[in-house]
Amino acid sequence: MTRAAENRIDIAGTVVSLAAEATELQTRVNELHQELIDLNERIRTISNVLQRLSPS
């Protein structure tokens, strides 16, 4: 195998590896985004309860 062919194989492997890593990272970003949405909803709920409990 020539050096040029080896380089193309190395580059292709690197691209596949980076694409897989990017997919994993995007999945984690989506999970974190959903967790932030859930946390924001809990904060809103607690805030509403505290407002109802505070003396007027």
Side-chain angles (χ1 to χ4, degrees):
M1 183 177 297
T2 66
R3 185 71 183 143
E6 288 176 5
N7 285 343
R8 282 193 293 274
I9 291 171
D10 289 346
I11 290 171
T14 299
V15 168
V16 169
S17 177
L18 289 172
E21 187 174 347
T23 299
E24 290 176 18
L25 289 171
Q26 186 60 53
T27 298
R28 186 62 181 140
V29 165
N30 292 341
E31 290 169 352
L32 290 171
H33 183 250
Q34 186 59 52
E35 288 181 29
L36 286 172
I37 290 170
D38 295 344
L39 179 60
N40 192 40
E41 182 58 34
R42 288 196 315 262
I43 289 170
R44 232 181 286 137
T45 299
I46 291 168
S47 176
N48 289 338
V49 168
L50 290 173
Q51 286 176 359
R52 279 181 280 181
L53 293 175
S54 65
S56 301

